[in-house]
Amino acid sequence: GAVVSQHPSWVICKSGTSVKIECRSLDFQATTMFWYRQFPKQSLMLMATSNEGSKATYEQGVEKDKFLINHASLTLSTLTVTSAHPEDSSFYICSASHRVNTEAFFGQGTRLTVV
Amino acid sequence: GENVEQHPSTLSVQEGDSAVIKCTYSDSASNYFPWYKQELGKGPQLIIDIRSNVGEKKDQRIAVTLNKTAKHFSLHITETQPEDSAVYFCAPRRENNNAGNMLTFGGGTRLMVKP
């Protein structure tokens, strides 16, 4: 199956700093990628839809100025958490697929801890 | 949007027993019904899916059954093994829509298989 790789798998940062998470589709092109956030023992909640070459679409309640998404190529989307706070500590997961109506492949996730 | 519920939220079984997890949804236009398995600290992985033109699909020890009239589908795991212990999510959606592969996840079911 297709592979989606996230980097880093975990990161610890200080409050007020910014952190960038990368999501790459390794063997296919993804015009659309999705970013999810998952708090402990909870389900995945969609944060935003990342579209190659255009602005991301954010879900209600997600601050677009805080969670910057860039989808510069068909194989790479990045999520930058700006001015991180402890409440941003969470597990962030991306997904991508070849085309509409095919299986969504997930990255391995990034555990962010803000201290 | 889709309203998705899973039951039970936790399930503990003895190794070798069967496990059944039910997912109910609200969007009658949903036509793709996947189940994902998420192990601790990892992203979700698709384990089985079904489309609305069939009522049941089986893959070795796992199966999915669909009742479109009642708007629910279930995951069945037979002869459970300790490595089946994980959190399972359903994520019904419409294919052929403009949302691509955006997924709305159920709340998750934590399955524990006791040796």
Side-chain angles (χ1 to χ4, degrees):
Chain A
V3 178
V4 175
S5 177
Q6 264 183 258
H7 180 80
S9 56
W10 63 270
V11 58
I12 301 173
C13 72
K14 292 184 177 180
S15 290
T17 61
S18 296
V19 173
K20 180 185 284 189
I21 303 169
E22 292 186 349
C23 179
R24 294 181 184 272
S25 54
L26 296 187
D27 50 2
F28 66 98
Q29 294 183 330
T31 55
T32 304
M33 293 184 177
F34 300 91
W35 287 96
Y36 297 84
R37 180 167 53 185
Q38 185 178 33
F39 292 107
K41 297 187 177 181
Q42 294 188 22
S43 188
L44 287 78
M45 298 300 295
L46 181 68
M47 298 175 66
T49 303
S50 171
N51 303 299
E52 187 266 337
S54 64
K55 291 183 179 179
T57 304
Y58 290 83
E59 294 300 298
Q60 192 173 8
V62 178
E63 299 175 58
K64 62 180 181 180
D65 295 330
K66 179 170 184 60
F67 299 99
L68 302 179
I69 292 174
N70 184 277
H71 195 148
S73 76
L74 287 170
T75 59
L76 174 63
S77 175
T78 60
L79 168 67
T80 302
V81 182
T82 63
S83 187
H85 291 150
E87 54 264 35
D88 297 326
S89 298
S90 186
F91 194 53
Y92 293 86
I93 307 169
C94 69
S95 78
S97 58
H98 295 263
R99 305 175 295 275
V100 176
N101 303 332
T102 61
E103 177 182 349
F105 297 96
F106 287 83
Q108 65 267 48
T110 298
R111 181 158 303 284
L112 170 64
T113 303
V114 184
V115 298
Chain B
E2 182 83 273
N3 184 28
V4 183
E5 293 188 358
Q6 275 181 243
H7 294 282
S9 56
T10 60
L11 179 59
S12 181
V13 299
Q14 205 67 39
E15 182 177 1
D17 288 350
S18 295
V20 181
I21 304 169
K22 185 176 179 180
C23 180
T24 60
Y25 60 94
S26 60
D27 185 356
S28 56
S30 291
N31 53 10
Y32 176 63
F33 308 94
W35 283 98
Y36 291 86
K37 176 183 181 181
Q38 185 180 28
E39 297 178 339
L40 189 64
K42 297 183 179 179
Q45 281 198 312
L46 179 73
I47 56 170
I48 196 166
D49 58 10
I50 194 170
R51 289 178 167 81
S52 57
N53 56 337
V54 295
E56 181 174 354
K57 183 177 177 181
K58 195 171 182 179
D59 182 4
Q60 299 183 340
R61 296 189 298 109
I62 60 172
V64 55
T65 58
L66 171 65
N67 185 329
K68 276 213 81 179
T69 304
K71 291 189 281 188
H72 65 73
F73 61 112
S74 296
L75 174 68
H76 305 255
I77 306 175
T78 58
E79 301 172 36
T80 54
Q81 300 169 3
E83 50 266 38
D84 294 329
S85 298
V87 180
Y88 293 82
F89 293 98
C90 63
R93 67 173 172 89
R94 300 183 194 184
E95 290 191 314
N96 299 317
N97 69 343
N98 292 328
N101 289 316
M102 181 184 78
L103 299 174
T104 300
F105 286 87
T109 297
R110 184 171 301 275
L111 173 64
M112 293 167 284
V113 180
K114 294 178 287 187

